[in-house]
Amino acid sequence: MKRTALLVLLALAGCHRAEPKPAATPSPVGLEAAAIQAGVIPDPASTDITGLYARESDRVCIVPSATAYRIGVFVDYDEQQNCGGSGTVTRVGETLHITLDRGGEGGDSACSFDARFEGDRIVFPARVPDGCQKVCIHRASIAALDVARLSESISEASTLRDSRGRLLCANGG
């Protein structure tokens, strides 16, 4: 009887398998990566840039065009000092390459720089080329412009106007 009990215990011990350990998920690198993985912030790499962005009286619109995206920028200090221009924007990862001309009137591309796209935010560099002053009146500037997304709607973004009433993101500029 002792042998039978011992054999039963050995048989039961042999049948018992340890639960497999779950596969380790790759650890995100950095706080931002962890927040993206957790869904706390959007992944800039998979977010469309189309939309209307704003902070106080500053506005940026981005709409798709046949070859890239159209961008319009309006910075409003007051009637005497403001900036308004449109142009094109292309995207590589989190970098937006922006080229502006005076209110969509064409001209040289002396106002060309890279800005950061952070999912629902666009941040212009603190220093922009001197040629960017052509889209501004008096001492106004587009340098260090920082705007957050208000809307992903193309129709809303297409209605942005400068101080003269020109549409900055309309089809064809």
Side-chain angles (χ1 to χ4, degrees), residues 42 47-53 62-64 119-120 149-157:
T47 303
D48 185 25
I49 62 174
T50 300
L52 180 63
Y53 300 78
I62 299 178
V63 297
D120 278 332
R149 189 186 315 253
L150 288 179
S151 169
E152 295 179 0
S153 168
I154 294 172
S155 60
E156 284 185 72

Side-chain angles (χ1 to χ4, degrees), residues 17 21 36 43 82 84-85 97 111 113 126 136 149:
R17 287 191 248 168
K21 293 183 180 178
I36 290 169
D43 183 0
N82 57 62
H97 182 70
C111 183
F113 57 90
C136 297
R149 189 186 315 253

Side-chain angles (χ1 to χ4, degrees), residues 25-37:
T25 57
S27 298
V29 179
L31 185 58
E32 183 177 7
I36 290 169
Q37 186 176 12

Side-chain angles (χ1 to χ4, degrees), residues 77-101:
Y77 293 110
D78 59 35
E79 289 182 19
Q80 305 301 318
Q81 297 187 59
N82 57 62
C83 302
S86 62
T88 59
V89 59
T90 56
R91 176 181 177 189
V92 177
E94 294 180 8
T95 302
L96 300 178
H97 182 70
I98 299 171
T99 302
L100 296 176
D101 54 81

Side-chain angles (χ1 to χ4, degrees), residues 2-4 6-7 18 22 27-28 40 71 86 96 102 122 129 140:
K2 287 185 181 181
R3 267 191 180 169
T4 306
L6 183 59
L7 286 174
S27 298
V40 175
I71 185 170
S86 62
L96 300 178
R102 177 75 181 155
I122 297 174

